[in-house]
Structure formats: C-alpha cells, structure tokens
Amino acid sequence: MTTVQQPLATRKLGGRRADIWLAAWPLTAVFMLSNAPTPLFVLWQHRIGFATGTLTVVFATYIGGLLLALPVAGVLSDRYGRRTVLFPAVLLALTACLLYATAASVAALLTARLLTGLAVGGTVAAGMAAVADVGGPERRRQASLAGSVAMGTGLATGPLLAGCVAQLLPAPTVTVFVLEAALLVSALLVIRSLPGVRRHGAGDSWLRLPSVPRPNRRDLLLSLAAYMPGMTGTSFLLALGPSVLAELLGTANRIVSGGSAFVMFGASTGVQFLVSRWRPRRLLTTATAATGAGMVLVVLAVHFSSIGLLLTAGVLAGTGQGMGQLGGFSILNSRVPTARLAEANAALSAWGYLFAGILPVCTGYLTDATGMGSSVTLLGLVVAAAAGAGALVVTRLATGCTGQPVPR
C-alpha cells in the first residue's frame, strides 16, 4: 500500500529524525535575525551618529527584550502549547525586520533590538521544548542536539548573510531584512505543523521568574556554570568585533565583520556534532576551559594587534559556548518533566543572557573612556575568571544532581 505524503502545512510532525530537524527550523530563522544586524551597526553608527557606548547599549537592548520575554514565554508554552508562543514570537521578529529596514534613529534601532529580544526569548523557550516534543522520550539526545545546533546555525549564518549582502548588493540595510523576513515566513509554516495545544498547571501563575522543579535546581546550576560564561564570551566578541577589527586591520569591510562572527558561531555549531555523544560532565568541563582560553587570547590579540589570535579566540569562544549550550540543554531535557520543560529552558537562557548583556555594555563605555586595549584586557579577564569559577562548580556539582551522578 502506498503512503501519500501530506503537505507540510497540513501534516503534523511526528518522531521521525527528519521531523526533529525540521521542527528546529524556527529556531534557526529567528536566531539569524538576532545577529544579522552585527555587520550593519557600523553603517548605522556613521549614518545616525553615536558613540561606541551607545552602540553596545543598542546591542544589549536585545538581551533586555529577551529577559522580558522569558518569564512569560516558558510558562505560557507549558500551559497553552508551543505554537501559542511561537507564532507571536515570529510575528515580532517580522516587525523588527521592518524597523531595521527603515531605521533612521537610535530609537528605531533600540525598538528593533527590543522586539528581536522578545522574539528570541519566546522562541528559545517554546522552540527548544517543541523540538523535544517532536522527538519524544526516546529521542531526547537527538532533540537536544537539533535544537542547540539550530540556534548555533542561526547565530553563525545571520551575520555572514548580512555582511555579504550589505557589501555586495544595493540598499544594504533594506535588502538583508527583506531576505530575513522571507525566512521567517517559512518558519511560520513549520510552526503550523507542530504538535497541538497542551495544558498543564492551570492554577499556577502565568507571570513569574522562570525556574525548575526543586529536585532539578542543582541541574540548572550545573548547566549555568558553563553556559553563562560561554554566552558572555561570544556576546563580548560579537558586540565589539567590528570595532576591534577596524582597529586591528583598519577595515570596515562588512564581509570581514560578518565572516568573523560566522567563524565563531560556526565553531559553536560544528563542535556540537563532534561531541554529541559526550557525557554532560565532559561537555561542561571542556566548555569552561575553551571559554577561558579564548578570553585570554582576546586580550593577547588586542595587545599584539594579531588578527590570527583574534580568530583563534573566536573559535575557542564559540567552542565553549556550543559545548556549554549543548550540555546545559541536554541535562534539562533529560531530567526536567515535560510539563516544566519550556520554563526550564527559559530559566537557563535568562540567567545565561543576563551576564552576557551587562558585560558588553560595560566594555563599550569603558572603551570610550580608556581605549580599546585596557577595556578588553579588564573585561576579557573577568570572563576568563568566570569560566574558571564555572569549572570549579562543575567539578563540585557533577555528582548529586537529582540524586544521581551526571554520566561521565
């Protein structure tokens, strides 16, 4: 008997391997938008006229929007279904595309970044849980890999696409976001095919700080020990990358700027395939080591004006972020009950992005006051120290989570 394949818009995604990766596409599309403006900030900075400190505030407003979304998105997704959160999130991303394409003021950029953060917050909470839903209990490891790789792919390809389009095609700040909007529309079609509405905990408050069940608190802390410094290291380089490249190379070429971000997040994505079968403890320990080493190389790159050291630092920072992200989400996906999974993902993301948003802003204003060398040295070493502290936490908490040792 021949089976007729239903169109994507009408077929519900099941537990097939291909379905798991397809369900992760909205994560890629939305995360592309999060980094796509990176090579264009220099254009806006020259066109509108604002200092490096303001630039890092514009960059970090995205994280502010994300932190506003996460306390609501995880709870709503667990109670009313993943699509209930994902549809509005993608619509906010489309609105942000319109604002980016027409931006003529700092206020417009701030609003676009805020909406981008809200969209990413909703997508990371509900989207990761949706991928786990499609995979089912028997494919939790693959679902964790697919969701984490989807985010890394979006983070890597967004700035590269934007850099190439902006350098080679006319109307750079418009064309990039027209293309991104088309990708977001395709993500809406995938969201339609996700599993339907589910309801949990009808009596609970829908607005609260995202958290995990009490037995999983050590799991969350263990995950954050590597995830937080890893996210901060990549945000640190992403926010100041164009400025550092301009100072080291004397170039504002947008392909170079986007390409450097692609190298960093490409390493984040690629390494996850290589280590997908590693146990969480090994993932998290290696992640902290890579992040710490990357930050030390950033300091050396600035002091010796070495693009080679800077690119190596980006690869190490991306590797640390990718391993920490995969390890953190894998622990939560394997141990947190499905009824609280989106909220748990939101909790990991919220705490991880909090530090990642504060540090680049401090770096930007410190750069305006003291220069690139001293600011990067000070705050690069702060992230390296945070990675070292994270390694100690992983070592101490790697046993005892939920009453069982983390597999080695």
Side-chain angles (χ1 to χ4, degrees):
M1 182 176 178
T2 303
T3 301
V4 178
Q5 183 69 36
Q6 291 180 287
L8 171 63
T10 59
R11 178 174 62 84
K12 296 300 179 188
L13 296 180
R16 302 183 311 165
R17 291 178 182 272
D19 286 345
I20 294 172
W21 289 97
L22 183 60
W25 169 245
L27 286 161
T28 298
V30 174
F31 271 82
M32 285 182 69
L33 179 63
S34 70
N35 277 359
T38 300
L40 307 176
F41 278 135
V42 174
L43 286 177
W44 284 312
Q45 189 175 15
H46 290 161
R47 181 188 305 167
I48 300 171
F50 49 86
T52 302
T54 303
L55 173 61
T56 53
V57 170
V58 171
F59 177 85
T61 301
Y62 151 76
I63 295 178
L66 190 148
L67 294 176
L68 286 174
L70 289 171
V72 179
V75 177
L76 290 181
S77 174
D78 285 333
R79 183 184 297 183
Y80 298 112
R82 315 311 184 196
R83 290 180 293 176
T84 305
V85 174
L86 287 171
F87 269 120
V90 175
L91 293 177
L92 286 175
L94 286 167
T95 305
C97 285
L98 176 62
L99 288 173
Y100 283 127
T102 59
S105 66
V106 172
L109 291 176
L110 288 170
T111 304
R113 290 296 283 171
L114 180 68
L115 293 179
T116 302
L118 292 171
V120 170
T123 303
V124 72
M128 286 295 292
V131 177
D133 290 345
V134 171
E138 67 280 3
R139 296 189 187 273
R140 283 293 177 94
R141 179 186 290 272
Q142 185 177 355
S144 297
L145 176 64
S148 188
V149 165
M151 289 192 290
T153 301
L155 291 170
T157 56
L160 181 63
L161 173 66
C164 292
V165 170
Q167 190 69 31
L168 302 174
L169 297 180
T173 56
V174 175
T175 307
V176 168
F177 297 105
V178 170
L179 294 175
E180 171 62 21
L183 298 177
L184 290 169
V185 170
S186 72
L188 289 174
L189 298 178
V190 173
I191 293 170
R192 287 185 61 190
S193 66
L194 292 174
V197 172
R198 56 180 63 225
R199 295 179 183 271
H200 297 291
D204 295 336
S205 170
W206 59 270
L207 177 59
R208 62 173 182 259
L209 287 176
S211 62
V212 295
R214 185 179 295 274
N216 300 112
R217 288 179 181 175
R218 289 169 65 90
D219 297 327
L220 177 61
L221 184 57
L222 176 63
S223 300
L224 284 170
Y227 184 71
M228 185 180 288
M231 286 300 304
T232 304
T234 52
S235 294
F236 177 58
L237 282 172
L238 192 65
L240 290 179
S243 299
V244 172
L245 285 170
E247 184 164 311
L248 291 179
L249 297 179
T251 178
N253 186 291
R254 293 179 286 279
I255 296 179
V256 174
S257 176
S260 63
F262 175 80
V263 168
M264 180 167 64
F265 288 108
S268 170
T269 302
V271 74
Q272 293 182 56
F273 287 104
L274 296 176
V275 301
S276 62
R277 295 190 178 276
W278 285 18
R279 296 299 187 183
R281 178 177 179 176
R282 186 181 180 189
L283 278 172
L284 299 180
T285 302
T286 309
T288 56
T291 298
M295 293 302 98
V296 171
L297 286 185
V298 170
V299 174
L300 295 175
V302 171
H303 280 277
F304 291 103
S305 298
S306 170
I307 185 61
L309 286 176
L310 185 63
L311 290 176
T312 304
V315 170
L316 285 171
T319 297
Q321 185 263 343
M323 287 186 172
Q325 179 176 284
L326 178 61
F329 281 113
S330 295
I331 289 173
L332 296 183
N333 280 354
S334 65
R335 291 177 172 168
V336 175
T338 301
R340 297 284 300 277
L341 184 55
E343 187 181 356
N345 291 337
L348 178 63
S349 299
W351 288 108
Y353 274 101
L354 181 61
F355 192 29
I358 293 172
L359 194 82
V361 174
C362 296
T363 308
Y365 281 105
L366 193 59
T367 297
D368 287 337
T370 65
M372 182 72 69
S374 60
S375 64
V376 170
T377 297
L378 175 61
L379 295 171
L381 293 177
V382 168
V383 181
L392 293 176
V393 172
V394 171
T395 301
R396 296 193 64 177
L397 294 185
T399 56
C401 294
T402 62
Q404 299 175 351
V406 176
R408 294 175 182 269

